[in-house]
Amino acid sequence: MQPGLYEINDPSPEDPVMVTTNFSITYFSVANELESSGRPGWLLVADAEGMSVLTAWAAGNFDAEQIAKDVKRFNVTDKVSKQRVVLPGHVAVLSGELEEELPGWEIRVGPREAVDLPAYLKTAL
């Protein structure tokens, strides 16, 4: 999967930015759950050398620095006015580091599994 910023359900600048890796199965799982929720949002697909979230995190290819780099590389701040990013729940440990890398951004921790994303979007955001 190509790293980049993807629009799901015609998002506005107020909608959240969900983060995942460029492992195709992970991307399609998250994108499909977001699309089926009916909620608009941005999906930041970070360059993790094609690895899943946990594999990339364990290998040091998916960290706060990489996420912040991709936020800048894909001009996310030009597309969103409400600077809010949602991390995959399995890498909640990155939230503090990401706050340092992206000052002024609201960092949220999403669900551990993509299937829980629709419920999370309804209740947490």
Side-chain angles (χ1 to χ4, degrees):
M1 188 70 217
Q2 280 295 109
L5 183 65
Y6 294 84
E7 297 180 15
I8 308 289
N9 295 333
D10 195 29
S12 76
E14 294 289 314
D15 290 312
V17 177
M18 267 69 67
V19 178
T20 192
T21 64
N22 65 328
F23 181 55
S24 60
I25 294 172
T26 302
Y27 165 79
F28 286 113
S29 297
V30 174
N32 288 338
E33 291 297 335
L34 182 55
E35 189 173 328
S36 71
S37 77
R39 296 279 313 260
W42 302 91
L43 184 55
L44 177 64
V45 178
D47 186 1
E49 298 183 12
M51 295 180 207
S52 68
V53 170
L54 282 176
T55 303
W57 174 75
N61 293 329
F62 185 60
D63 57 18
E65 185 178 334
Q66 181 63 48
I67 294 166
K69 178 181 168 187
D70 283 343
V71 164
K72 293 170 185 144
R73 179 169 99 164
F74 299 118
N75 301 313
V76 176
T77 54
D78 293 343
K79 304 228 179 358
V80 299
S81 58
K82 189 167 189 176
Q83 296 178 331
R84 177 178 44 179
V85 68
V86 180
L87 288 173
H90 282 294
V91 292
V93 68
L94 296 178
S95 61
E97 294 171 21
L98 193 56
E99 285 176 350
E100 292 176 18
E101 293 284 340
L102 294 173
W105 281 70
E106 177 185 352
I107 310 301
R108 296 281 193 99
V109 176
R112 293 169 81 80
E113 303 296 332
V115 71
D116 297 323
L117 194 55
Y120 172 83
L121 293 170
K122 287 179 185 172
T123 58
L125 297 179

